[in-house]
Amino acid sequence: MESDGSSCLPLPPDVENRIVSDLLKESESNLKEGNLHYVVSNRWFRRWQLYVGQPTEEFSSKDHSSDSPHMNVSLFNVPRPGPIDNSDIIINGGDSENNELEIERFLVERRDYVLVPGEVWEKLFDWYKGGPPLPRKLISQGVTQKNFYVEVYLLCLKLIDSRDGSESTIRLSKKATISDLREKVFALKGVEQKEACIWDYFNKWKQSVLDGTSQTLEELNLQMDQHILLEVDGTTLQTGGAVMSNGHSSSYGNQGSSFSTSVSDMDDRNDVSSTAKNRGRGGLIGLQNLGNTCFMNSALQCLVHTPPFVEYFLQDYSEEINSDNPLGMHGVFALAFGELLRKLWLPGQSSIAPRAFKGNLARFAPQFSGYNQHDSQELLAFLLDGLHEDLNRVKRKPYFETKASDGRPDVEVADECWRYHKARNDSIIVDVCQGQYKSTLVCPVCRKISITFDPFMYLSLPLPSTVTRSVTVSVFYGDGSGLPMPYTVTVQRHGCTEDLTLALATACCLKSDEDLLLVEVYDHKIYRYFDNPLEFLASIKDEEYLVAFRLPKRESGRPKLEIIHRSVEKYSTDHSKGLERKLFGTPLVTYLGEEFHSGADINAAVSKILFPLRRTYSSTVSHSQSVSRSQSMDNEVEETSEKELFFQLLLTDAGGVSCKPIGKDSAIKHGPLIKVFLDWTDRERKLYDVGYIEDLPPVHQTRFMKKTRQEATSLFSCLEAFLTEEPLGPDDMWYCPVCKEHGQATKKLDLWKLPEIIVFHLKRFSYRRHLKRKLDTFVDFPIHNLDLSKYVKSNDGKSYLYNLYAISNHNGGLGRGHYTAYSKLIDEKRWYHFDDSHVAPVDEEEIKTSAAYLLFYQRVEK
């Protein structure tokens, strides 16, 4: 055994990979609540993935510079990782009271850590030791549909002991019961249960006594980092906090709905520092942050300041509650939102804590549970849909069979679709927020046209830079007729490699008798050939390296010769001297003749493709026969060039493992691809300028470019990009009823019917393979009189002028960003800034920023 406890005879990498893969499949087929998973640092886990040959697509925020799979990490010689090391994802020292290890806050799965089943952890720990182990349980969330997820962050509660005012930290699962909490607290403090009681001490106000019941901490809406209070034998901490009842009395109690919460928002008192002087007026009340809930607060402030919603929810809407809708939440969600809106429009408090609303949100939308940051647009979509289903006036939805347009007039088809939609969906949300757009799909094969009219509740607009992408490709002459040159072209983000080669052909002035052969270069070898012209560009990452070879069309189909460069260098140790060979540069590809191949044929092909790199040639092309080159050098190059140069070539296999020297008369086995190593010594370097085959630019050099202020764009440009015809992405293939197969159809959207309230979602976040990127582009948008008339294809006689009344902002970068809101009090005609619990007036000219994420507009009636 080694000193760290690991085995002296580790398993081969492929065996480790197979064992872990089998265990993962077995775990996925046996998901149940309570299963143990372990949190493992992604920094260590990616090293293990590289070692066993698993693909790594994510980059750690702490260690991406050295472990990126495109940073000269050889897939063929990756060292075995050391012991498991979770030190980068835990807070040093753990908890001082009970020595529990605490995981760093705000970590992102697959970027900072991975989750492995208990069986996988046992194997990894047996092989590598290390740690420390960070076990977490699989829990379920949701009412109508159970979702399983690993509770990475336990609920952290701050326990105050009323006897001495000391503070301790308690960590439990939010699925733990009050009995579990009491048992842990009393054991920690060494007191008897009959002698003490524990209070929900949110905001340091006594909310309710936490009795020994089977209710869970989640059901009681206890929040991350909130206080709980321990009182022993009647000792009371003097804070001035009033004792609050934990009962709930809804003003809609006579409706017979199932709405009830153990702690209402009314119980969640405003910050105790508030005074009568700074308490809010109706509509100017903040929402306290309950632990990364700024995304929720931002979206809610925009909704509760939507004029039609204020009017609707401040009145009696009890008759419209649909408690029987299987797609809804039994009216609970609409009642919770309505009650929250009423509190925010009631004067008297500077801020409230929406604990009950967050609790209901977590019950019905498990994706928003926990304490991670979420997307305010994703929440808005759920809120609008949930409110619609809870308030749907249609109790029994009729069935309609969708009819094809079949060449009928658009007006007829659109009206028919809207009638069908309204027959099944009729609520305040439909009345106010839903519009209709026309969608036209065209099959790329048979040109079949499909036209549909669909409802929408918001419009997600791409920023111009997200519709297209710039791609840099280094173009080489496969016949040796010119020097290589990098080209940067702009292509559709959801396009295919055929679009890229067509754009490259235009950029490099490709001749009519030439083709482009596109490849990806990785670790100085050709990683893949892009043989399929319909391969999606989404498979190409920004940090990869692309090369295209200009080759004669007439030679297409002949055997390819792939030339891989190796640098031959001398090395010496205390005991021996020898030569070391390392891969370098860009591999080259050319075609061979169809006849029998000998070593001389291979040598001639190599000499031909390298010809532009000869120092006399490149000097003439690049410097127009500069006279600054020394005479001695010219003589040496000319003397060598007059002789027949035979390169040091070695035939290798597909994996680059075997090597067989090639002589002039060597017989080369005929095949579609012949791969050879070209060994470079000082002799070849004097003759050829290898700088042309080194230092390839990546596809898109974002991570290495100095960040500059991005070019501004306008809301109109974003809308036009949304309405522009484009190919569908790889995840949205369309099934053509004529061709009977899925294909990459083109899609064109047109606005047909606009609602009273229109929400524009500026798509600042892009997601690729678990990587998330934010665009800080400034989007200029009208505050008054947004005119959309030229974009609407129908004429329903309504106004298409809109005024802005609310904005959801996302400030900062990814992971550490913060949401705020701007809302306008229509009666005052004045804007306010809502930053969680803080509310302050703001000048209208200050609300236009590059943080704008959701824009809320209301129609200006004629």
Side-chain angles (χ1 to χ4, degrees):
M1 300 292 289
E2 300 285 356
S3 60
D4 64 358
S6 60
S7 173
C8 295
L9 297 174
L11 296 174
D14 61 321
V15 176
E16 287 190 11
N17 188 17
R18 177 176 53 79
I19 292 173
V20 169
S21 298
D22 291 344
L23 289 174
L24 285 172
K25 291 177 183 177
E26 183 180 346
S27 173
E28 290 172 1
S29 64
N30 189 33
L31 291 178
K32 59 182 179 181
E33 195 160 11
N35 284 358
L36 268 187
H37 281 64
Y38 284 77
V39 184
V40 180
S41 165
N42 195 34
R43 184 176 65 178
W44 182 89
F45 191 74
R46 283 171 48 250
R47 289 171 180 160
W48 178 82
Q49 285 182 302
L50 288 170
Y51 170 64
V52 300
Q54 283 189 7
T56 60
E57 297 177 341
E58 297 79 35
F59 297 91
S60 167
S61 61
K62 296 182 173 66
D63 195 29
H64 66 264
S65 60
S66 61
D67 278 348
S68 166
H70 295 277
M71 287 291 188
N72 282 331
V73 177
S74 172
L75 288 175
F76 301 99
N77 190 26
V78 177
R80 191 172 190 267
I84 299 170
D85 182 7
N86 285 333
S87 62
D88 63 314
I89 61 172
I90 60 174
I91 297 175
N92 291 334
D95 185 88
S96 57
E97 292 289 337
N98 45 30
N99 203 30
E100 291 180 348
L101 292 172
E102 183 178 2
I103 297 176
E104 289 273 6
R105 297 284 180 94
F106 312 116
L107 300 185
V108 178
E109 186 179 358
R110 294 190 179 95
R111 187 194 72 184
D112 303 306
Y113 68 88
V114 294
L115 296 169
V116 300
E119 299 81 3
V120 172
W121 167 262
E122 290 174 3
K123 286 296 181 184
L124 292 175
F125 186 76
D126 181 51
W127 296 333
Y128 295 94
K129 304 304 178 189
L134 300 170
R136 293 295 186 268
K137 287 185 178 180
L138 193 70
I139 64 174
S140 66
Q141 192 78 34
V143 176
T144 57
Q145 181 179 358
K146 293 290 185 182
N147 293 326
F148 290 105
Y149 72 97
V150 177
E151 188 179 22
V152 174
Y153 291 101
L154 300 178
L155 180 61
C156 179
L157 300 173
K158 306 297 184 182
L159 171 66
I160 296 179
D161 191 331
S162 64
R163 294 172 295 181
D164 56 11
S166 62
E167 184 173 306
S168 309
T169 301
I170 301 291
R171 292 188 181 86
L172 297 98
S173 168
K174 63 183 179 182
K175 294 294 185 179
T177 65
I178 296 300
S179 297
D180 297 330
L181 172 63
R182 289 168 59 86
E183 182 178 339
K184 189 161 188 175
V185 170
F186 296 151
L188 175 65
K189 291 298 183 178
V191 298
E192 296 290 334
Q193 291 200 26
K194 61 183 179 181
E195 300 174 350
C197 69
I198 303 174
W199 287 88
D200 175 356
Y201 203 45
F202 184 79
N203 274 347
K204 293 191 175 180
W205 280 74
K206 289 182 178 179
Q207 308 285 344
S208 60
V209 174
L210 300 177
D211 295 326
T213 69
S214 60
Q215 280 187 297
T216 65
L217 307 185
E218 177 184 41
E219 290 169 342
L220 287 174
N221 298 320
L222 298 187
Q223 302 298 313
M224 179 69 85
D225 295 327
Q226 79 154 73
H227 290 91
I228 56 176
L229 177 65
L230 172 66
E231 289 186 344
V232 182
D233 286 334
T235 59
T236 302
L237 190 67
Q238 299 301 315
T239 63
V243 177
M244 304 296 295
S245 168
N246 71 331
H248 173 76
S249 175
S250 170
S251 57
Y252 301 108
N254 59 354
Q255 300 168 22
S257 76
S258 59
F259 179 49
S260 65
T261 58
S262 50
V263 181
S264 74
D265 289 327
M266 206 58 159
D267 299 328
D268 300 334
R269 298 286 295 267
N270 57 291
D271 194 327
V272 295
S273 63
S274 300
T275 62
K277 183 178 180 180
N278 63 8
R279 290 189 176 179
R281 307 196 318 273
L284 296 180
I285 298 174
L287 290 167
Q288 294 174 31
N289 194 313
L290 304 178
N292 268 341
T293 56
C294 58
F295 76 98
M296 180 182 77
N297 294 345
S298 174
L300 285 174
Q301 291 290 8
C302 293
L303 285 183
V304 301
H305 287 88
T306 298
F309 289 170
V310 176
E311 180 181 357
Y312 179 86
F313 285 101
L314 288 182
Q315 296 177 358
D316 184 2
Y317 59 96
S318 59
E319 292 185 359
E320 299 211 325
I321 293 292
N322 189 338
S323 58
D324 299 321
N325 186 355
L327 299 179
M329 289 160 276
H330 314 296
V332 173
F333 200 68
L335 287 167
F337 176 81
E339 187 165 334
L340 179 62
L341 181 143
R342 290 182 175 221
K343 293 181 176 71
L344 290 172
W345 279 93
L346 241 132
Q349 299 190 77
S350 63
S351 66
I352 64 172
R355 290 204 298 171
F357 183 85
K358 183 179 182 294
N360 280 304
L361 180 66
R363 287 176 60 206
F364 294 104
Q367 64 270 32
F368 298 114
S369 63
Y371 310 100
N372 290 333
Q373 183 68 275
H374 294 281
D375 190 319
S376 68
Q377 185 273 329
E378 293 177 359
L379 175 65
L380 175 71
F382 175 81
L383 293 176
L384 292 176
D385 188 62
L387 289 173
H388 160 65
E389 296 296 354
D390 267 8
L391 297 170
N392 196 347
R393 304 175 186 114
V394 179
K395 301 300 189 281
R396 299 186 64 181
K397 296 186 177 184
Y399 171 76
F400 295 101
E401 188 171 341
T402 304
K403 297 180 182 179
S405 56
D406 290 334
R408 290 183 291 161
D410 284 350
V411 173
E412 178 184 336
V413 179
D415 288 347
E416 178 183 82
C417 291
W418 190 252
R419 286 198 310 274
Y420 289 173
H421 176 67
K422 285 279 288 184
R424 294 171 56 85
N425 301 278
D426 185 16
S427 69
I428 179 64
I429 305 300
V430 177
D431 297 343
V432 171
C433 297
Q434 288 196 356
Q436 187 182 38
Y437 60 67
K438 173 185 175 183
S439 175
T440 305
L441 293 171
V442 180
C443 175
V445 179
C446 70
R447 311 307 295 175
K448 160 72 176 176
I449 298 177
S450 172
I451 296 176
T452 58
F453 290 84
D454 302 303
F456 66 85
M457 283 194 292
Y458 52 86
L459 296 176
S460 292
L461 307 185
L463 275 62
S465 56
T466 64
V467 177
T468 60
R469 64 182 294 199
S470 61
V471 177
T472 298
V473 183
S474 298
V475 178
F476 285 75
Y477 285 83
D479 61 357
S481 60
L483 288 170
M485 180 73 68
Y487 292 91
T488 299
V489 295
T490 300
V491 292
Q492 288 284 333
R493 185 168 294 275
H494 291 309
C496 54
T497 52
E498 183 179 38
D499 302 323
L500 176 58
T501 52
L502 288 174
L504 273 177
T506 302
C508 72
C509 300
L510 193 73
K511 298 177 183 177
S512 59
D513 60 349
E514 289 180 311
D515 273 334
L516 285 175
L517 178 65
L518 188 65
V519 303
E520 179 191 346
V521 172
Y522 169 60
D523 198 29
H524 311 298
K525 295 184 290 291
I526 291 180
Y527 181 70
R528 58 173 167 166
Y529 288 87
F530 292 95
D531 297 320
N532 180 10
L534 299 181
E535 181 168 351
F536 290 112
L537 294 178
S539 69
I540 301 174
K541 295 187 283 188
D542 286 348
E543 60 273 10
E544 292 174 346
Y545 297 89
L546 296 185
V547 172
F549 297 97
R550 302 176 65 147
L551 296 164
K553 283 184 178 179
R554 64 179 183 275
E555 296 181 2
S556 178
R558 294 183 178 181
K560 288 194 288 285
L561 175 65
E562 187 178 309
I563 306 158
I564 306 167
H565 308 284
R566 298 197 306 186
S567 178
V568 181
E569 301 171 1
K570 294 181 180 180
Y571 74 91
S572 63
T573 64
D574 294 339
H575 306 289
S576 62
K577 294 182 179 180
L579 298 176
E580 183 180 17
R581 292 170 173 83
K582 294 182 179 179
L583 299 184
F584 80 99
T586 306
L588 302 175
V589 177
T590 188
Y591 287 133
L592 293 171
E594 295 179 347
E595 63 278 0
F596 176 80
H597 303 131
S598 67
D601 297 328
I602 302 296
N603 190 79
V606 173
S607 180
K608 182 178 180 181
I609 197 172
L610 289 179
F611 180 77
L613 275 60
R614 292 185 75 102
R615 294 193 179 273
T616 51
Y617 178 92
S618 59
S619 176
T620 301
V621 173
S622 304
H623 306 289
S624 302
Q625 296 180 337
S626 171
V627 296
S628 62
R629 186 184 292 271
S630 67
Q631 187 66 39
S632 60
M633 180 62 181
D634 282 340
N635 291 340
E636 181 182 355
V637 171
E638 285 183 20
E639 181 180 349
T640 309
S641 64
E642 290 173 359
K643 300 176 182 179
E644 182 181 2
L645 176 66
F646 199 87
F647 297 97
Q648 297 184 39
L649 299 170
L650 300 96
L651 185 67
T652 186
D653 56 12
V657 177
S658 65
C659 291
K660 181 181 179 181
I662 299 176
K664 290 183 180 181
D665 300 324
S666 299
I668 308 299
K669 185 178 179 181
H670 191 87
L673 176 63
I674 299 172
K675 300 178 74 170
V676 299
F677 286 127
L678 169 57
D679 284 354
W680 289 77
T681 63
D682 291 342
R683 180 186 65 157
E684 287 81 14
R685 289 180 179 273
K686 289 179 180 178
L687 284 171
Y688 296 93
D689 187 350
V690 295
Y692 287 101
I693 60 173
E694 295 183 312
D695 303 323
L696 283 182
V699 168
H700 190 64
Q701 205 161 0
T702 51
R703 290 197 297 168
F704 307 102
M705 294 172 61
K706 184 178 179 181
K707 189 173 182 180
T708 58
R709 180 178 177 84
Q710 299 193 37
E711 183 179 353
T713 187
S714 70
L715 181 63
F716 295 107
S717 298
C718 297
L719 182 57
E720 287 161 5
F722 173 75
L723 299 174
T724 298
E725 184 179 57
E726 64 173 355
L728 293 176
D731 298 327
D732 298 315
M733 304 290 276
W734 177 63
Y735 181 80
C736 176
V738 176
C739 299
K740 306 296 183 184
E741 62 182 19
H742 289 87
Q744 190 183 20
T746 58
K747 184 176 184 179
K748 174 73 172 69
L749 295 177
D750 293 295
L751 300 181
W752 190 263
K753 180 193 295 288
L754 296 185
E756 177 185 351
I757 299 296
I758 188 166
V759 181
F760 293 109
H761 163 222
L762 303 179
K763 296 173 70 173
R764 295 194 177 277
F765 301 109
S766 62
Y767 302 84
R768 276 187 69 220
R769 302 180 182 181
H770 310 298
L771 294 178
K772 192 175 180 181
R773 174 171 170 253
K774 183 191 176 186
L775 296 173
D776 292 316
T777 306
F778 175 76
V779 179
D780 191 16
F781 48 86
I783 298 176
H784 304 282
N785 296 322
L786 168 65
D787 189 356
L788 299 176
S789 56
K790 74 174 184 177
Y791 301 106
V792 183
K793 298 302 181 182
S794 68
N795 184 10
D796 56 8
K798 294 184 178 179
S799 168
Y800 299 132
L801 284 179
Y802 289 82
N803 286 339
L804 186 73
Y805 70 88
I807 306 172
S808 174
N809 301 301
H810 182 273
N811 304 274
L814 298 174
R816 305 287 180 176
H818 180 61
Y819 285 94
T820 63
Y822 292 128
S823 291
K824 184 177 183 179
L825 261 63
I826 303 300
D827 293 341
E828 292 187 11
K829 297 182 179 179
R830 186 171 186 182
W831 286 87
Y832 289 86
H833 183 215
F834 293 82
D835 184 356
D836 287 333
S837 57
H838 304 286
V839 182
V842 62
D843 292 335
E844 186 171 272
E845 57 267 20
E846 296 178 17
I847 67 172
K848 286 188 179 184
T849 71
S850 59
Y853 184 45
L854 301 175
L855 304 174
F856 293 73
Y857 283 89
Q858 183 178 22
R859 176 186 286 128
V860 179
E861 299 296 343
K862 291 182 178 179

